[in-house]
Amino acid sequence: MIVIFFALFLRLFDLNNRPFHTDEAVHAIKFGELLETGKYIYDPIEYHGPTLNYFSLISAKIFDEKILSDTNEVTLRIVPAIISVILIILLISIKSEMNKFLILLIGILISISPIFVFYSRYYIQESMLVTFSYSAIITFYKYFKSKKTLWIILSAIFCSLIFTTKETSIIIYFSGFASFIILNFFNKKLKSKFRINKNHLILFLIIFIIVSILFYSSFFTNPNGILDSLKTFTNYFGKAGNNTEHIQPWYYYFSFLLFTKNDLVIFTEIPLFIFYLIGIYFLFSKKYFLQNYFFRFIFWFSLIQAIVYIIIPYKTPWLALNFWIGFLFISSFGIYSSYLIISKKNQKTLIVSFIFLIVSHNIFQTYLTNFKFPYQLGNPFTYSQPTPDVISASENIIKVAESDSTNINIFVNVISKNNDYWPLPWYLRKIKNIAWNENVPNDIHHFEIIITTPDFEEEIINKLYSLPEPGKINLYVPLFNDYTTIRPNVEIIGIVRNSLHEKYLRTLNNHTK
């Protein structure tokens, strides 16, 4: 229970200590449509699966938030944060089949894992997907051990949640089936252990199909979503192979996981990776051969996923979670097996001391990456992470807009190439009259506040003072006093109509008197 509460603490404490990432803001705006209209249309091109949105409804209901402007980062991030703890709770269910110390060690390493904690505090699907994947393995394992109906029901639910969370479910299913085939290839006797009776198989398929249809049809309000859930795979393969924006070298994941050194942090998971290799040795060594197919399945499952993600050119740091959690299972197995084969008391003490150092080191790394430097560029897990400027700039824009008592008529225009203005739509969600453009429109002089990037500044100034009729030209002044960025090295500038700016300054002076 201490491990579970500590896992919750690491995932929930100071949950808004990092500005919303672009992907988080995109999902939040998509959720806003569901929250405010009750409608969700699955998009096979963007946004991934519907589970994140529907589970967020529960959070919004608990906090009594009915429109998007009521919600905040905590309301939304709490969803993946809490769901990610399910995997740690489920570990308790297999303590009767395995050594309790080994299960405790797995639970601790997963609870404090810096990358798992980091992306559990992120409003994206990945930590949920990983939780559902490894939870499905645990419930399948429990079913094959007990043949109880409860575990096949839970397996079906987790397998369908994998499908309804993200289109990369196809990699998880492929890795699962391939691992099963490999295990059977090396040991033909396993077929008898992994047998599902006919009624349970039918029950599994019925539950899987029902849950999948419920989510993808938006609970029967969008039947097209069912077919779209299959069409999405063609889009995914195209994105994975052709999206040049996120192409990384094959060693990308291991480069930041195993060793990162910069002016901010020195981060390494090498000690755990060494025990991962030791764990593989014990899994397959004839001398220390252990008949534990649970860990050997996880070994193949995570290794195949690692190979697939290494091969795919499209890489983002959170994708590493899919295989790294499996590596933590094997690392724990390596530590536990090392402890078992040692007979001398002083050597066992040395191993326990080493375990203590590894756990302490990971807790410290979790503190650095999640609480001390949660958004800084040197954090190995940040990826195009917005700076706190985006929050202060948005608050400034909203204050200026609200300084006019008739602020319902204030119009804001945000201009950026390739729609590169995220996560501003999230932080400016309270402003209703706001336009988002990739080019400077010819009616730009009708807008009181303009947010843009420096490359559009000259064109905007020209249009502001050349397009209006004589006598109707308004004076504009800078909105931000300092250099402002939404992401590292991505500057934004603000321009505000002078009449509105003066109203804001008068309001400011009245408040300070």
Side-chain angles (χ1 to χ4, degrees):
M1 291 304 291
I2 294 173
V3 174
I4 293 170
F5 280 116
F6 191 55
L8 279 170
F9 171 77
L10 290 176
R11 284 155 178 78
L12 298 179
F13 179 72
D14 204 11
L15 203 49
N16 61 348
N17 67 352
R18 177 175 53 232
F20 250 10
H21 184 270
T22 292
D23 286 18
E24 292 183 281
V26 168
H27 290 307
I29 297 298
K30 176 70 174 174
F31 166 67
E33 298 172 15
L34 174 63
L35 178 65
E36 296 181 356
T37 68
K39 294 179 181 177
Y40 176 88
I41 305 297
Y42 172 66
D43 184 340
I45 308 297
E46 297 289 346
Y47 306 112
H48 305 307
T51 52
L52 182 64
N53 293 266
Y54 279 106
F55 288 144
S56 299
L57 277 181
I58 300 171
S59 173
K61 182 72 176 175
I62 291 171
F63 290 105
D64 194 27
E65 296 167 343
K66 296 180 175 60
I67 57 176
L68 187 63
S69 58
D70 289 344
T71 61
N72 55 49
E73 288 86 343
V74 174
T75 306
L76 301 179
R77 283 176 173 161
I78 201 172
V79 176
I82 289 181
I83 288 177
S84 68
V85 180
I86 290 175
L87 174 59
I88 300 160
I89 295 173
L90 267 178
L91 286 171
I92 298 173
S93 68
I94 54 175
K95 67 179 182 180
S96 58
E97 287 85 5
M98 298 184 191
N99 182 277
K100 290 180 182 178
F101 171 74
L102 175 57
I103 298 303
L104 177 64
L105 187 58
I106 296 170
I108 291 173
L109 292 184
I110 291 177
S111 299
I112 64 172
S113 168
I115 186 172
F116 197 27
V117 173
F118 190 90
Y119 289 114
S120 296
R121 299 163 58 88
Y122 229 70
Y123 188 63
I124 60 174
Q125 287 86 354
E126 213 65 38
S127 66
M128 292 170 49
L129 183 73
V130 169
T131 297
F132 298 147
S133 303
Y134 288 90
S135 295
I137 293 175
I138 291 173
T139 52
F140 265 127
Y141 177 74
K142 285 293 294 185
Y143 171 75
F144 290 129
K145 283 286 185 179
S146 67
K147 304 296 182 186
K148 290 184 178 177
T149 307
L150 169 68
W151 295 111
I152 201 66
I153 291 174
L154 289 175
S155 300
I157 292 172
F158 283 124
C159 284
S160 58
L161 288 177
I162 293 169
F163 177 50
T164 53
T165 295
K166 200 175 175 187
E167 66 282 349
T168 50
S169 56
I170 196 167
I171 297 175
I172 294 167
Y173 295 146
F174 167 75
S175 303
F177 282 119
S179 304
F180 181 75
I181 290 170
I182 292 171
L183 282 182
N184 276 281
F185 178 79
F186 285 111
N187 192 332
K188 306 296 182 187
K189 296 178 181 177
L190 279 179
K191 282 187 177 178
S192 61
K193 290 180 179 289
F194 292 159
R195 190 165 291 162
I196 303 177
N197 76 49
K198 186 178 177 182
N199 290 335
H200 283 164
L201 179 60
I202 293 171
L203 180 64
F204 175 89
L205 292 173
I206 289 174
I207 293 172
F208 180 91
I209 292 170
I210 288 175
V211 174
S212 301
I213 288 176
L214 281 176
F215 278 107
Y216 276 116
S217 70
S218 305
F219 291 84
F220 305 117
T221 60
N222 176 40
N224 291 336
I226 300 169
L227 187 58
D228 286 340
S229 70
L230 302 177
K231 289 180 181 175
T232 189
F233 293 119
T234 56
N235 168 62
Y236 173 71
F237 288 123
K239 182 188 288 186
N242 301 320
N243 191 319
T244 57
E245 188 179 356
H246 301 287
I247 286 183
Q248 304 286 353
W250 67 268
Y251 54 83
Y252 172 71
Y253 300 115
F254 294 99
S255 66
F256 68 82
L257 274 172
L258 295 188
F259 191 73
T260 296
K261 182 182 179 183
N262 52 51
D263 294 337
L264 206 63
V265 297
I266 298 176
F267 179 91
T268 180
E269 293 283 29
I270 287 178
L272 282 175
F273 189 72
I274 291 173
F275 274 108
Y276 167 75
L277 298 176
I278 293 173
I280 295 172
Y281 169 75
F282 282 115
L283 276 177
F284 294 96
S285 168
K286 290 182 180 178
K287 185 176 180 181
Y288 303 112
F289 187 80
L290 300 172
Q291 292 291 331
N292 199 319
Y293 300 106
F294 176 79
F295 287 98
R296 271 192 269 170
F297 181 89
I298 288 182
F299 162 73
W300 286 113
F301 178 73
S302 54
L303 180 65
I304 292 169
Q305 286 202 82
I307 293 171
V308 171
Y309 282 112
I310 284 171
I311 292 172
I312 294 174
Y314 181 102
K315 292 178 174 66
T316 52
W318 46 83
L319 293 175
L321 266 182
N322 288 279
F323 60 84
W324 187 252
I325 297 302
F327 281 29
L328 292 181
F329 273 83
I330 305 304
S331 297
S332 305
F333 185 77
I335 295 171
Y336 169 71
S337 301
S338 302
Y339 180 82
L340 278 187
I341 64 165
I342 292 174
S343 55
K344 294 183 179 178
K345 189 176 179 180
N346 58 343
Q347 290 178 340
K348 282 186 179 292
T349 304
L350 186 65
I351 288 287
V352 172
S353 302
F354 202 62
I355 294 170
F356 178 77
L357 285 176
I358 288 177
V359 171
S360 303
H361 178 243
N362 265 273
I363 291 174
F364 179 65
Q365 293 195 134
T366 295
Y367 161 71
L368 289 180
T369 53
N370 287 276
F371 301 105
K372 188 173 183 180
F373 306 117
Y375 58 81
Q376 282 81 349
L377 193 59
N379 185 321
F381 307 131
T382 56
Y383 187 72
S384 297
Q385 174 62 47
T387 64
D389 281 5
V390 74
I391 299 176
S392 56
S394 300
E395 290 174 347
N396 196 7
I397 295 166
I398 292 171
K399 285 177 183 175
V400 172
E402 290 179 344
S403 65
D404 192 325
S405 58
T406 60
N407 67 71
I408 191 171
N409 294 319
I410 295 297
F411 286 83
V412 179
N413 202 319
V414 181
I415 306 165
S416 182
K417 286 181 181 175
N418 302 318
N419 298 323
D420 193 21
Y421 41 67
W422 292 90
L424 282 174
W426 162 257
Y427 286 106
L428 299 179
R429 64 193 183 283
K430 291 182 179 177
I431 299 177
K432 301 302 178 187
N433 300 316
I434 189 163
W436 305 93
N437 290 297
E438 295 182 78
N439 299 296
V440 183
N442 287 332
D443 64 345
I444 189 68
H445 53 286
H446 292 304
F447 291 85
E448 286 88 351
I449 299 174
I450 302 162
I451 308 299
T452 187
T453 49
D455 49 334
F456 283 113
E457 185 176 13
E458 184 177 349
E459 183 182 357
I460 290 172
I461 297 298
N462 286 337
K463 288 190 174 182
L464 285 175
Y465 296 116
S466 64
L467 293 179
E469 296 176 8
K472 293 185 178 180
I473 297 176
N474 290 291
L475 177 64
Y476 282 80
V477 297
L479 177 59
F480 307 137
N481 294 324
D482 303 314
Y483 174 77
T484 304
T485 61
I486 55 172
R487 291 190 298 282
N489 304 317
V490 181
E491 183 185 2
I492 58 168
I493 58 173
I495 304 169
V496 57
R497 192 174 287 177
N498 188 52
S499 56
L500 177 60
H501 192 247
E502 287 183 344
K503 283 182 182 177
Y504 168 66
L505 293 178
R506 283 197 296 274
T507 306
L508 209 59
N509 289 333
N510 290 336
H511 283 301
T512 54
K513 285 181 180 177

